[in-house]
Every structure is written in C-alpha cells, then in structure tokens.
Amino acid sequence: MENVRKYFEAITQIPHCSHHAEALRDMLVEHARERGYRVEVDGADNILIYRGRPRLCLQAHYDMVCMGKAPRIETYEEGGWLKAHEASLGADNGVAVAMMMALMDSALALEFLLTADEEVGLVGAKALEFPLYSDYMLNLDFEAEAEVCIGCAGGADIVASKKGLLVAGSGTCYEVSVKGLAGGHSGVDIDKGIPSAIKLLGEYLYAKGVTQIASLYGGERGNSIPANAVAIVRSETALEDEGRVTVRTLETRPSVYQEDERLVEMIHRFRHGVRRVSETLGIPHSSINLAIITADAEGRMQIETSARAMEMDALSQITEETVGFFQGYGLDTLVQDKYPAWKPETNRFTALVGAHMQAVFGRSHTTAIHAGLECGILSQKYPDIRFASIGPTIRYPHSSREMVNLKSVEDTYAVLGRIVSDVELGVDIDL
C-alpha cells in the first residue's frame, strides 16, 4: 500500500487532464520498460504493457477530469480521506494507475492496458486495436469498495446549436448568477439530488418572466453536473437575490436575443436528471444531464447534453426525444461520442472476484453502474474475454470535492493482489 500511495502522489503532480496527458503517458512507458515489460503505444496514445504469457489483463484510463485548480493539485488527508485543495483529485482513475505501477514492481506476468481520453467520450477505447493475450480483464475504474461491477450504462452526447437574432432590449440590465454549487458526476451522481446551476438559473428567470437574454453561460464539462451559470439579462421589473441566485445591476444596455428564441422557456422545460429507475438494479435506468449552455453576445447558441441508459434501446429513445425537443425550438442537432452499454453478466470470473472481496471486506455485492465504463466497448472488441470491474470508494468524482478513502484503497489493493495470485498460481477459474 505504501507504494500505491507514493505512486498516486507522484501522478497528481504530473498534469494529465484529458487531451493533455502526454507527460503521464511517457512516465508510465518509462516505468514499465525499466521493470522489464514490453510496451506498445498506439496512435490514440493507448498503452499496452505486458510480460510473459499473461492470463489476466488489468485495465484503467490515465486521463482525468480537471476541475477547479487542477491540474495544479495539492493533496491533503482528512478523516481517512485523501482530498485536494479546490481541485479535482484525479483518484478517478489515478489510484488504479498507481496500483498497476506498484504491481509492475513485482515483475508479474500480467497485461496492463492503460487507455487515453476516457473522460471525453471513451476516445482511446474506441480506437483500440491491440491484440490481447489474456482470458480475463479486470477493469479498475469502479468507485465503491466491496462491490463487483458486472454492467454499465451506454451513453451519447447530444449537441444543439443555432445562430440567434439579436435585437434592441429594454429595461434595466442585470447579471444573474448561480455559482459555487457542489457539482458531481453526471452518471453516478445524477440521482443524488445535486442541483444544476443551469436549471436553477433558468427556473429563476422563468418565474420572474425574464425573456430578454443578452448572454448566458453555464456548466463546466460534458460529464459533470453544472456547478456555475451566469446570464446577462434585461428586465422591465426589478430583480433581486433569491436563494442561491445572486443578482447584480449593470450600467450597460446590451442587445438581447429576440423573444421567439424562447431560451429561458427551453431551459425551464428541459427534463434534466433521472428519467427512469431500474427496479432490478436499484440505480437509474436512463438519465440526461443538461451539461453546458453557451449563448454569447454575438448570437451564437450551443447546448450540450449527455444521455445515459442501461440498455441501448432506452438510450436510443432518450436520444431521439432530446433531438426532437431541441429541433422543436429550431436548433440543429448532432449526436456524437455514442458508446455501448455493458450488459450485466455473472460468470466464474466475477464469482472469483466476489469471493476475494468477501475474504477481505467481509462482504461482497454484485452491481452495475449508471455511467460509462470502457468495458462496454472492450467487451465488444474482445468478445472472448470475461470482464469484471472493481475499485476503492471514491466520492464526488469530476468535481473539486472529489475524495478517496485510504483504507478502501488499501483493502481493494489487497483484493487485487489475491486475484493476481490466483491467476499466477494457475487456478482454473472455469472449473
């Protein structure tokens, strides 16, 4: 565990935001080669590290969602949790990478698959073409201890845009803002009651009858619940602070979007959040996040949403509904970064992983996650490999509140060591 902590702290000091993780990529390549592993890097910056004839592949992604001050990360420990000052920590998925680095120190006959740009649409996994030797793959991107994940949501991003018409406005100009909300992961946290800054702002403007929008900006990342939103508006009636909404009077007299753009109404009517719950799994079955909205002073309007569902039919349905919704307001739509669901399945490999969870934690639970795991794509690319996913307890990923439980990291690493030992000893998992 000491080496895992050491390696993770080192990772936090190497910038590795999505699209900008080259320094960490190079460090991982050097780390593996120094320990006698063969290393391949493909055109998408995925890394395959292997030795001997492995039966087990460990898999993680090495990019992170940078929020707050990240990639400038200053860690601290509080009450058994590792956190970062005013920044996302990168425990998702840096702790997994640190575990893999620690295992490499033992020169085991394993495969290590480290994918690039997972946090921006599973980019690396989609481009992956490495031949793999292993019979089993253990993904390390789950975020709850003592649980064995056997399925995940599919997803798609729906982007809507148009060029709006600006006209002369009337009334007083105000800056209306919602800032500093908690934020969170748009999949695993979508049912946690975390407020959306965009929705709060939109509801306030709708209730006050404000229709003259000069500009509006909200949200931070496509896969994060919006923590901040601000609009410049004009209003004939006075606006004041209310709840989480802050109002400031401005002296400017900007042009505004013409009223038939119905921007405020569109935000008000958009059904952000959980659309349907899976009674079997006890998690959201389908959901959508109103992630980012930009309506600038030049009339350029763009809205980004992220849809998720545990089955592809449900994903198609929510995608089609969202496209229709935006088209009803005259916006052009584009569906992109679609990725498949991983259909829940139990097998002897998942049973083995569960048995070791039980041995270490004294409990074990089989579950699925309402978020995209690379297992969805990888299980299609490698249909003969059997999959499971585990990980330590991480709270509030994709936000500046992100934290990881250190005892959970220690115990999860112990589970990982037991699984690796069974495979190294040649235990016949399929018996």
Side-chain angles (χ1 to χ4, degrees):
M1 171 60 186
E2 181 180 344
N3 281 348
V4 174
R5 175 74 179 268
K6 177 186 72 174
Y7 286 137
F8 178 68
E9 294 282 2
I11 288 169
T12 66
Q13 300 309 299
I14 302 173
H16 56 288
C17 308
S18 300
H19 297 308
H20 302 285
E22 298 86 355
L24 182 54
R25 174 202 64 198
D26 294 343
M27 185 272 274
L28 292 169
V29 168
E30 180 180 5
H31 180 87
R33 285 178 174 160
E34 286 178 348
R35 286 152 182 79
Y37 284 89
R38 298 184 65 179
V39 181
E40 298 177 30
V41 180
D42 67 13
D45 279 343
N46 297 306
I47 309 167
L48 178 63
I49 299 166
Y50 58 98
R51 185 187 186 101
R53 280 286 178 177
R55 299 175 65 210
L56 176 65
C57 179
L58 303 181
Q59 191 267 319
H61 64 88
Y62 67 93
D63 65 316
M64 69 171 285
V65 172
C66 287
M67 299 291 287
K69 294 182 178 179
R72 296 185 299 276
I73 299 172
E74 181 184 353
T75 64
Y76 67 100
E77 187 176 339
E78 182 178 65
W81 295 83
L82 191 65
K83 306 178 181 181
H85 288 288
E86 300 178 29
S88 47
L89 177 63
D92 171 17
N93 202 199
V95 167
V97 176
M99 290 181 180
M100 293 162 76
M101 292 175 68
L103 286 172
M104 288 180 210
D105 290 341
S106 300
L108 301 171
L110 292 168
E111 278 181 316
F112 301 90
L113 178 60
L114 292 143
T115 48
D117 294 330
E118 186 267 356
E119 299 288 12
V120 287
L122 309 174
V123 173
K126 290 177 180 177
L128 190 69
E129 294 184 356
F130 291 129
L132 299 180
Y133 296 107
S134 296
D135 301 312
Y136 312 98
M137 183 178 292
L138 188 61
N139 169 279
L140 301 175
D141 196 17
F142 199 58
E143 295 167 356
E145 68 178 32
E147 296 190 0
V148 183
C149 182
I150 59 168
C152 73
D157 296 337
I158 302 99
V159 180
S161 62
K162 71 179 295 185
K163 185 69 165 67
L165 178 64
L166 296 175
V167 298
S170 62
T172 305
C173 184
Y174 298 96
E175 178 192 80
V176 185
S177 62
V178 177
K179 296 182 179 179
L181 300 189
H185 190 288
S186 63
V188 297
D189 292 329
I190 199 71
D191 61 339
K192 302 295 193 298
I194 298 171
S196 159
I198 294 175
K199 287 293 289 183
L200 287 181
L201 178 62
E203 297 298 347
Y204 173 88
L205 296 175
Y206 186 81
K208 301 300 180 184
V210 176
T211 58
Q212 299 184 80
I213 307 298
S215 65
L216 195 157
Y217 299 90
E220 298 77 36
R221 298 288 188 278
N223 53 8
S224 297
I225 298 170
N228 304 280
V230 59
I232 306 299
V233 307
R234 296 186 68 172
S235 175
E236 298 284 359
T237 59
L239 301 179
E240 298 179 346
D241 294 356
E242 185 175 295
R244 297 175 183 265
V245 179
T246 301
V247 178
R248 183 166 64 97
T249 304
L250 304 178
E251 297 300 324
T252 58
R253 298 293 182 266
S255 299
V256 299
Y257 283 80
Q258 63 178 0
E259 290 191 19
D260 63 6
E261 302 290 5
R262 297 183 294 164
L263 181 56
V264 172
E265 177 191 293
M266 182 167 53
I267 297 172
H268 166 71
R269 288 188 57 225
F270 188 88
R271 293 169 56 211
H272 163 92
V274 176
R275 295 287 182 87
R276 180 180 158 198
V277 175
S278 170
E279 295 182 5
T280 303
L281 298 171
I283 60 175
H285 182 76
S286 59
S287 71
I288 192 159
N289 178 47
L290 181 56
I292 299 174
I293 184 167
T294 301
D296 67 21
E298 303 299 322
R300 293 181 292 261
M301 186 190 307
Q302 180 166 298
I303 301 169
E304 301 176 34
T305 67
S306 53
R308 303 177 191 268
M310 301 304 294
E311 297 176 353
M312 295 309 291
D313 286 348
L315 180 62
S316 295
Q317 179 181 348
I318 195 171
T319 299
E320 291 169 6
E321 289 175 355
T322 304
V323 167
F325 175 85
F326 287 127
Q327 289 179 346
Y329 284 91
L331 278 74
D332 297 321
T333 57
L334 174 67
V335 179
Q336 59 188 23
D337 293 331
K338 193 170 185 177
Y339 54 90
W342 170 29
K343 185 177 180 180
E345 177 192 51
T346 57
N347 53 53
R348 292 188 180 276
F349 179 53
T350 60
L352 174 77
V353 175
H356 287 305
M357 282 286 189
Q358 182 70 39
V360 173
F361 287 98
R363 66 190 192 280
S364 179
H365 175 63
T366 300
T367 189
I369 186 173
H370 190 67
L373 289 177
E374 291 164 303
C375 297
I377 295 171
L378 298 176
S379 61
Q380 292 190 349
K381 287 180 176 285
Y382 304 100
D384 295 329
I385 294 180
R386 296 181 181 179
F387 291 80
S389 178
I390 65 172
T393 297
I394 297 173
R395 291 184 181 171
Y396 313 117
H398 301 186
S399 78
S400 57
R401 297 190 298 158
E402 182 182 3
M403 63 182 78
V404 62
N405 186 278
L406 291 169
K407 182 63 165 61
S408 183
V409 173
E410 179 180 354
D411 290 345
T412 300
Y413 187 60
V415 170
L416 180 57
R418 292 171 67 98
I419 295 168
V420 169
S421 294
D422 267 4
V423 175
E424 280 275 292
L425 291 172
V427 171
D428 193 341
I429 297 171
D430 290 323
L431 281 179

